[in-house]
Amino acid sequence: MPYISVVNSHSLLYKVFLMNSQKITILDGGMGCELQAMGAPFHKPEWSALTLMKAPAAVMQAHQAFIDAGAEIITTNSYAIVPFHIGESAFQTDGEYLIRQAAEIARMAADGTTTHNVKVAGCLPPPLGSYRPDLFDKKEAQRIYKPLIKEQERSIDFWLAETMSSIAEAHAVAEITEPTNKPLWLAYSLSDTVKEGEASILRSGESIIKAVEAALDLNVAALLFNCSQPEVMTSGLSVIKDMNIPIPYGVYANTFPPKPTEYLANDGGNQSSMRNDITESDYFRYAQEWVGLGATIIGGCCGIRPSHIQTLSQLNN
């Protein structure tokens, strides 16, 4: 049976618009890895925030590269503007300015596009570290989210909560964005360590069915899986398809090798290894599988470059 939920007024029309769309909505790709590939300032622990600090014009250039490749939605470069990456001191002194700058750059890139309509998603990252639901603390998360929301709200079209690894993280971000009256897209990150034949799960170990039900109860406008390997996305989408949910859903996968449960993003050296077996044509084949499972929103996360996004435009041919 289809899952039925009550929708609130601020997201109802947005959901109807997406559900009635006859084409695949194309997201952008991985901002951080693109900046690194461009040679922009980029290293741990600041990651993509370092480019914003030292060479903000490169952020505009990266947005433009994805737009030129056909992205209809670009995401603000605010993923790393949290204490986990830039430190508490910098977050307190420079955080609001950096967040506002990231949002304004994305807005300028979108508004300056003449070839097609481009929307801006306001990035709301995992506040206490990617892939680590065990480190989550609601009170601390809300403290960090406040400037992210305040400084982006005027420039963005909707919120995109990225790499949410637990239902608790989803609840926290939905609660704090609700007063803004802007739609919320929720992207869960799936475990990379699920064995073949096993059902996909969140990185917290929670089931996809429970995670989807929670998202629907939170009245999100769209549901996605992101920042996990392409292989696990397919089995995850199979679960959603069987649930026959009333909102659009999709995928933007990464090209990282599997990450263990104890992974901490700032550990180790400055470089992150990437899989070399996911070419543009490989990613397109995955995308075709996802569309076959009902996905109508497709893009890329870490390691997915403008050339991959350009290939995705074929999904609408």
Side-chain angles (χ1 to χ4, degrees):
M1 293 182 63
Y3 188 99
I4 300 173
S5 69
V6 178
V7 294
N8 55 20
S9 60
H10 78 260
S11 60
L12 176 59
L13 293 177
Y14 206 70
K15 292 177 184 177
V16 171
F17 168 76
L18 288 170
M19 292 293 285
N20 289 337
S21 175
Q22 297 301 307
K23 62 188 288 295
I24 305 301
T25 299
I26 305 298
L27 306 176
D28 58 5
M31 170 62 78
C33 292
E34 183 61 21
L35 291 171
Q36 186 177 26
M38 289 166 50
F42 183 94
H43 61 64
K44 298 179 183 181
E46 297 92 348
W47 297 86
S48 59
L50 188 66
T51 305
L52 202 59
M53 296 171 178
K54 295 182 176 295
V59 176
M60 173 68 84
Q61 184 179 345
H63 281 313
Q64 192 62 54
F66 284 117
I67 291 171
D68 292 344
E72 300 163 284
I73 295 172
I74 58 173
T75 303
T76 60
N77 182 36
S78 54
Y79 192 97
I81 312 176
V82 293
F84 180 82
H85 289 294
I86 67 174
E88 184 62 42
S89 177
F91 186 71
Q92 290 294 332
T93 59
D94 303 325
E96 290 190 355
Y97 168 73
L98 291 171
I99 294 164
R100 184 167 63 252
Q101 186 181 35
E104 290 175 350
I105 289 173
R107 183 78 266 163
M108 285 190 291
D111 289 350
T113 303
T114 58
T115 55
H116 58 282
N117 186 36
V118 178
K119 299 289 187 183
V120 175
C123 172
L124 296 174
L128 301 170
S130 300
Y131 309 160
R132 293 299 299 269
D134 56 311
L135 301 179
F136 178 74
D137 178 85
K138 181 178 179 180
K139 184 176 181 180
E140 181 67 359
Q142 290 180 330
R143 178 184 75 87
I144 294 168
Y145 278 144
K146 284 181 180 178
L148 281 160
I149 290 169
K150 174 188 173 186
E151 300 303 331
Q152 294 191 93
E153 185 176 0
R154 66 179 65 87
S155 297
I156 59 103
D157 295 297
F158 62 91
W159 300 111
L160 177 57
E162 301 194 87
T163 324
M164 299 289 104
S165 295
S166 71
I167 294 173
E169 291 179 352
H171 273 278
V173 77
E175 180 179 324
I176 203 163
T177 56
E178 198 279 333
T180 69
N181 207 37
K182 287 183 180 288
L184 172 64
W185 290 24
L186 179 65
Y188 284 120
S189 185
L190 304 182
S191 173
D192 289 323
T193 58
V194 174
K195 296 178 182 178
E196 186 175 353
E198 294 181 346
S200 292
I201 55 175
L202 302 192
R203 293 186 186 274
S204 62
E206 295 166 300
S207 75
I208 288 179
I209 290 177
K210 289 184 178 179
V212 172
E213 289 176 347
L216 293 171
D217 287 340
L218 294 170
N219 295 312
V220 303
L223 179 63
L224 302 109
F225 295 141
N226 86 297
C227 213
S228 304
Q229 295 193 102
E231 293 86 349
V232 301
M233 301 301 200
T234 302
S235 59
L237 286 178
S238 297
V239 176
I240 296 184
K241 186 175 188 297
D242 290 342
M243 293 178 73
N244 192 25
I245 67 174
I247 59 173
Y249 57 90
V251 166
Y252 54 115
N254 65 26
T255 66
F256 283 145
K259 299 297 185 184
T261 56
E262 68 277 9
Y263 172 76
L264 197 61
N266 290 335
D267 287 349
N270 282 335
Q271 304 299 318
S272 293
S273 60
M274 293 289 178
R275 293 171 57 179
N276 57 13
D277 62 335
I278 303 179
T279 65
E280 289 83 354
S281 58
D282 294 324
Y283 199 71
F284 180 71
R285 284 192 292 271
Y286 282 118
Q288 287 178 306
E289 292 181 14
W290 301 332
V291 170
L293 291 168
T296 58
I297 306 168
I298 308 287
C301 205
C302 307
I304 300 302
R305 302 198 61 194
S307 56
H308 293 85
I309 300 304
Q310 186 171 24
T311 303
L312 293 181
S313 64
Q314 299 176 38
L315 294 170
N316 286 313
N317 291 343

